[in-house]
Structures are given as structure tokens and as C-alpha cells.
């Protein structure tokens, strides 16, 4: 069957290169390009779709990277016969993932009877991209999202309940065999609305070599961390501790702040309402200001992007960096090391204990959700089940360093990888971010408070009161009585 290409709409929330890539894929699968398999030239595609050369070039480059087409210099672009042969009888599923290892993972683990058409979006843009796609009626079949967005997307009606598609699998497999912290957070009423693909934990990265040379131990308490930073400062280190500390870092700042609060027995939401442990929160904010006063952290940290602290640690500009367990590849790349050598140089531990708490961590990660607008929700669940099988979870964990969420796999991979052993142990007992539909607005408020405290714009006590009232207004939950 021959299909005519749809026009690409520049006003559409999906980038024009992704729209064009999808159209070309559809035309390839439907035999639009005839027996020789030659595609129009870039100039012809530009003219036909009314596009500049940049999105056309990117669409063709991604199709070539996916193995769909072969590009010959001076001869043109052709459908890859081997790829087309493999697609016979397959069904097509549209998936959106953030930038990272996820596209490769999906291509590797997708069942043989599925063709997965993948759109990759920057993580910072993914939330708005998906919201706009739903509003325009063009949501993908499946998306990989930050797990903390699941309650919001579910409340807005974006996701289909897994129980509607396969109640037995949701009940006996997912809710019984996966990390319970995520299962609970992603269960609305009696139904699961997303599946946690992987997990990561927040903690403190440190340079083992520098600490050893300075005669210091890895800190287990806030006091030990402050003392270690003071020693390093006296030795000439201008920024011993770095952290994402404001809106420029986005969710990374909230992730680290909530881990710090947890290490002092404090949380943003509790059974009695907003900020149930106000004294512990104030104590944590006072500690941040002590770190600034001691030159352990710099005021300009409020301007750091989310990847800057890890780059500074990797290049020797700091000795400690708050971040996630997922940072090892970035540490290795920025330090010019392979991951095995990077793990020998850099250590990772839970956020040191505050005076009112114990060493703690916060768990996060990415979850898979099936959209109500999905054309083939059954195929989307089929893909999810393949991605979270025991074998796929093992391969994912060992290749990316991300913690598997199937409980039986966690101990298996921990025995093979020392970083996974460390981060997996930290996952047990980790807290998770508040599972509320308005979390994104709560997070933005916390990022602003974080920056104001670092810059000394507000006192910890005043920040506590002001933030409690704002979060109460955002969530509709009462302020806990202190």
C-alpha cells in the first residue's frame, strides 16, 4: 500500500525533525519508496515539507543511526534491505524517552515481533513535551518519565491503569516482585499506573585519593563533613564541597535537598501534613549556612547546572559532591577514566547523618507509563514486560550502573558490581519524593528556598514558615502543627 506523506507542522509540540522521522518511517514500512528503496534527497524533502535543511538532516541521520536507512555519499539515501527484511510481520510502537542509554536499551530488549519508533527528548524538556503532546492528541504509546511525575500524569488522566490491560501481571508480578517504595508511589487506588524501570539513590560522592592524602576518613556525620571541608580549605581547596543548589539545577537540587533533610529525620510531607518535623528542617537549613560560612561551599553554587558539581569533582576542583548514584559514567568521562578505574578513585556513600537523624538517602529513577491515547496499549505492555524481565533488568543494571527494581535481581547484580552493591544497599530503607500530583510546583518552591538559604537572603526559621505555607497552598494539605 502506498501512503502520501502528511505535512509537518512547525507549531506542533513534537519537534519537526521527529515528525519527519516518523513520517519517513511510516512510508518505509508501507513501501512508499518502491523497489530500489531510494529516498528523496535532502533538498527534495526540504521543499516537499517546507523545512530547512537542519531538521531534515537530523531526521535522516537518526534513521541511519537506527539502521533504517543507509546513506551513500554522492549516491543518496536508501532503505536498508536487511532492516526492512526484519520488519516483515512486525507491529510498530511509538515510544518517547529522555536522552541517555534508554534508546539503545529499548532497541536491544524489544521483542522480535515489535518495531519500536523512538523519539529522544532532553530530560529538562520531557515533562512539557509530553503534556503538550497529550493536549494535542498525539501522545506516544509509551514513555519513560521521571517517576515523580507519575502521580501528576495519573491524576490528569494521561496514563492507562496496568490492571485494565493485565490485572494478573500487575497484581502477581509487579506489585509482588518489585521495590515496594515505587510500587506504592505508583499505585492509585487499587491500580498500578506505571512500572519502575530502574532506580537510583542520592548521596555523597568523594575523591578517595585526596581524602587519603589529607589523612581524612569518609564522613559519616554532618560534623565530620564540616570538619573535613575545613581541613581541605586550610590546605588551599577553594570549594571542598559542591552541590546543585538552586533552580538552575532543576530537580537535581530538590533530589539532594530532600536527601539532606532525610538525614536529619525531616520530610516535606508526612501523615499530619506539610513539614511535620519543622525543627529538624530548620536544623538542616542552619547546617547549609554553616557550610557557606566555613567556605565549604560557595554562594555561586546556586547558579550551577545539574551536571556541574560532578564535573568539578571529576576535574579536581572539589573533593565532595552531592549527587545521584547514576553519576559514575559522567565522573569517568570527565576524569578521563574508564568506569572501573573511576570507581576505584571516587567513593559514594549515604548523606551523612545530622544531629537528629542517621545516614540517609532518597530514591528516584525512571518509570514506564502507557498513555490513554495509545493506539496499541497491549503492545506497550508487552514491551514493558520485556524491559523488566529478570534477564533484561540484569543487563540494564550491569551496562548502565542503574539499580534494578525487580527485587530478585538486585542481589544478583550486587554480587557482580561493587557500585551496584553499594547503591542497592542504600536503596533499602531509602525515602522517596512526595507522591502528589502537584509535586513539580512543590519542587520549584524547594529549589528557590535552597538558593535563598545558600545566599543568606532568608533565615532558616523564616524559610521554614514561608515554605510550609506555600506548599500547603500548592498541595491543599494542612501545615503540620509543630
Amino acid at each position: 500500500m502506498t501512503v502520501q506523506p502528511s505535512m509537518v507542522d512547525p507549531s506542533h509540540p513534537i519537534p519537526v525533525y521527529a515528525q519527519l522521522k516518523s513520517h519517513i518511517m511510516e512510508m518505509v514500512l508501507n513501501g512508499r519508496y518502491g523497489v530500489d528503496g531510494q529516498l528523496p534527497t535532502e533538498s527534495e524533502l526540504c521543499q516537499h515539507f517546507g523545512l530547512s535543511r537542519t531538521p531534515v538532516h537530523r531526521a535522516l541521520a537518526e534513521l541511519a543511526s537506527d539502521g533504517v536507512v543507509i546513506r551513500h555519499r554522492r549516491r543518496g539515501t536508501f532503505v536498508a534491505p536487511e532492516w526492512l527484511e526484519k520488519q516483515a510481520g512486525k507491529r510498530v510502537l511509538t515510544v518517547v524517552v529522555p536522552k541517555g542509554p534508554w534508546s539503545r536499551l529499548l532497541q536491544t530488549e524489544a521483542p522480535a515481533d515489535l518495531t519500536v519508533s523512538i523519539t529522544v527528548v532532553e530530560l529538562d524538556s520531557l515533562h512539557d513535551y509530553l503534556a503538550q503532546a497529550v493536549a494535542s492528541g498525539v501522545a506516544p504509546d509509551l514513555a519513560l518519565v521521571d517517576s515523580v511525575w507519575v502521580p501528576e500524569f495519573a491524576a490528569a488522566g494521561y496514563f492507562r491503569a496496568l490492571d485494565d490491560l493485565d490485572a494478573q501481571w500487575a497484581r502477581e508480578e509487579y506489585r509482588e516482585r518489585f521495590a515496594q517504595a515505587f510500587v506504592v508511589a505508583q499505585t492509585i487506588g487499587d491500580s498500578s499506573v506505571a512500572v519502575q524501570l530502574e532506580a537510583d539513590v542520592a548521596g555523597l560522592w568523594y575523591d578517595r585519593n585526596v581524602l587519603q592524602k589529607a589523612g581524612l576518613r569518609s564522613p559519616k556525620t554532618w560534623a565530620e563533613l564540616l570538619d573535613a571541608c575545613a581541613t581541605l580549605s586550610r590546605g588551599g581547596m577553594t570549594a571542598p564541597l559542591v552541590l546543585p543548589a538552586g533552580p538552575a539545577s532543576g530537580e537535581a537540587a530538590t533530589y539532594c535537598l530532600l536527601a539532606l533533610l532525610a538525614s536529619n529525620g525531616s520530610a516535606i510531607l508526612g501523615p499530619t501534613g506539610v513539614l511535620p518535623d519543622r525543627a529538624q528542617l530548620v536544623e538542616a537549613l542552619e547546617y547549609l549556612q554553616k557550610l557557606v560560612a566555613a567556605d565549604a561551599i560557595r554562594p555561586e553554587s546556586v547558579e550551577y547546572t545539574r551536571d556541574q558539581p560532578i564535573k568539578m569533582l571529576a576535574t579536581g576542583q572539589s573533593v565532595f559532591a552531592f549527587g545521584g548514584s547514576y553519576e559514575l559514567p559522567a565522573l569517568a568521562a570527565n576524569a578521563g577514566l574508564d568506569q572501573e578505574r573511576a570507581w576505584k578513585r571516587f567513593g559514594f556513600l549515604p548523606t551523612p547523618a545530622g544531629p537528629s537523624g542517621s545516614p540517609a538517602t532518597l530514591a528516584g529513577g525512571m518509570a514506564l507509563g502507557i498513555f490513554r491515547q495509545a493506539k496499541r496499549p497491549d503492545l506497550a505492555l508487552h514491551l514493558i514486560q520485556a524491559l523488566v524481565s529478570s534477564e533484561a533488568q540484569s543487563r540494564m543494571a550491569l551496562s548502565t550502573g542503574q539499580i534494578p527494581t525487580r527485587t530478585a535481581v538486585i542481589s544478583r547484580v550486587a554480587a557482580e558490581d561493587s557500585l551496584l552493591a553499594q547503591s542497592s544497599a542504600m536503596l533499602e530503607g531509602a525515602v522517596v519524593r512526595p507522591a502528589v500530583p502537584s509535586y513539580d510546583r512543590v519542587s520549584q518552591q524547594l529549589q528557590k528556598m535552597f538558593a535563598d538559604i545558600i545566599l543568606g537572603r532568608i533565615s532558616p526559621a523564616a524559610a521554614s514558615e514561608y515554605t510550609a505555607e506555600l506548599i500547603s497552598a500548592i498541595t491543599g494539605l494542612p501545615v503540620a502543627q509543630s
Side-chain angles (χ1 to χ4, degrees):
M1 181 177 75
T2 300
V3 296
Q4 296 301 317
S6 304
M7 296 305 293
V8 172
D9 182 1
S11 66
H12 201 281
I14 297 177
V16 290
Y17 83 86
Q19 294 181 56
L20 179 59
K21 179 183 174 183
S22 177
H23 290 319
I24 292 175
M25 176 81 80
E26 181 182 358
M27 289 187 281
V28 167
L29 290 170
N30 285 280
R32 171 72 172 81
Y33 295 116
V35 293
D36 64 354
Q38 184 170 11
L39 274 68
T41 66
E42 286 192 9
S43 295
E44 289 169 338
L45 288 169
C46 289
Q47 182 176 4
H48 183 84
F49 288 97
L51 300 174
S52 67
R53 189 171 292 270
T54 298
V56 171
H57 181 79
R58 180 171 178 180
L60 293 175
E62 289 198 6
L63 287 166
S65 178
D66 293 344
V68 179
V69 300
I70 301 172
R71 309 196 75 188
H72 296 288
R73 191 175 181 184
R74 295 191 180 92
R75 287 181 54 211
T77 302
F78 297 81
V79 177
E82 299 84 1
W83 183 88
L84 195 57
E85 218 173 277
K86 292 177 182 177
Q87 309 315 307
K90 288 189 176 181
R91 296 160 294 180
V92 180
L93 197 68
T94 57
V95 184
V96 173
V97 299
K99 190 175 181 181
W102 313 117
S103 177
R104 174 177 52 81
L105 176 70
L106 263 67
Q107 290 170 338
T108 301
E109 302 295 348
D113 60 343
L114 281 184
T115 293
V116 182
S117 178
I118 302 170
T119 298
V120 179
V121 179
E122 290 288 346
L123 180 60
D124 293 344
S125 306
L126 182 60
H127 180 282
D128 291 345
Y129 173 95
L130 291 171
Q132 291 174 353
V134 170
S136 301
V138 290
D141 294 306
L142 180 69
L144 184 65
V145 303
D146 191 321
S147 58
V148 81
W149 302 340
V150 170
E152 175 193 349
F153 284 7
Y158 291 2
F159 288 157
R160 289 195 61 151
L162 303 178
D163 298 72
D164 294 343
L165 299 170
D166 190 335
Q168 183 176 358
W169 184 86
R171 182 180 64 254
E172 298 178 6
E173 189 75 9
Y174 184 56
R175 290 200 283 274
E176 293 296 324
R177 301 177 186 273
F178 286 73
Q180 287 302 297
F182 295 111
V183 172
V184 170
Q186 293 160 11
T187 298
I188 309 297
D190 296 326
S191 297
S192 297
V193 293
V195 174
Q196 192 75 18
L197 175 64
E198 55 81 33
D200 46 66
V201 289
L204 185 68
W205 286 96
Y206 63 97
D207 191 318
R208 303 178 197 265
N209 295 344
V210 174
L211 288 190
Q212 186 175 17
K213 289 178 183 177
L216 297 169
R217 299 180 305 170
S218 56
K220 301 296 188 295
T221 67
W222 288 2
E224 289 178 3
L225 177 58
L226 184 58
D227 288 345
C229 288
T231 299
L232 294 165
S233 292
R234 289 194 294 271
M237 176 69 66
T238 57
L241 172 64
V242 287
L243 73 174
S249 297
E251 186 58 26
T254 311
Y255 195 53
C256 294
L257 176 62
L258 292 178
L260 180 69
L261 300 186
S263 71
N264 202 44
S266 181
I268 295 303
L269 299 179
T272 59
V274 176
L275 297 180
D277 307 294
R278 197 80 55 81
Q280 287 96 314
L281 169 66
V282 171
E283 207 167 24
L285 301 182
E286 289 173 343
Y287 179 67
L288 285 171
Q289 292 192 334
K290 287 178 183 177
L291 289 169
V292 175
D295 291 327
I297 57 179
R298 307 294 299 170
E300 53 264 30
S301 61
V302 301
E303 299 175 0
Y304 291 165
T305 55
R306 59 187 171 88
D307 57 350
Q308 194 166 343
I310 288 300
K311 287 180 179 178
M312 293 176 70
L313 176 62
T315 54
Q317 298 174 67
S318 64
V319 180
F320 299 105
F322 280 107
S325 56
Y326 52 80
E327 304 280 18
L328 184 61
L331 270 173
N334 285 286
L337 303 170
D338 59 39
Q339 291 192 33
E340 183 177 352
R341 291 169 62 204
W343 178 236
K344 289 179 180 178
R345 175 179 164 186
F346 300 103
F348 184 66
L349 70 162
T351 303
S356 301
S358 57
T361 189
L362 183 87
M366 306 299 291
L368 292 155
I370 300 171
F371 285 84
R372 287 191 180 278
Q373 295 175 5
K375 295 177 181 177
R376 293 301 305 270
D378 55 329
L379 295 185
L381 182 60
H382 184 39
L383 178 57
I384 287 178
Q385 291 168 339
L387 291 169
V388 297
S389 69
S390 295
E391 297 76 13
Q393 284 244 302
S394 293
R395 287 189 290 267
M396 179 273 298
L398 294 172
S399 65
T400 66
Q402 308 284 10
I403 307 168
T405 51
R406 185 181 282 272
T407 51
V409 178
I410 293 176
S411 56
R412 184 191 311 169
V413 298
E416 299 183 45
D417 185 287
S418 56
L419 173 59
L420 283 169
Q422 172 78 355
S423 56
S424 297
M426 291 166 60
L427 181 63
E428 187 174 349
V431 299
V432 296
R433 291 167 288 182
V436 293
S438 53
Y439 174 80
D440 190 51
R441 293 169 61 202
V442 171
S443 179
Q444 292 173 19
Q445 180 55 43
L446 293 175
Q447 292 162 30
K448 184 179 183 303
M449 179 187 72
F450 202 170
D452 287 343
I453 286 293
I454 295 293
L455 295 173
R457 292 173 175 163
I458 190 170
S459 73
S464 167
E465 296 297 325
Y466 181 66
T467 302
E469 294 296 336
L470 279 176
I471 294 177
S472 175
I474 290 169
T475 62
L477 299 171
V479 176
Q481 297 302 310
S482 54

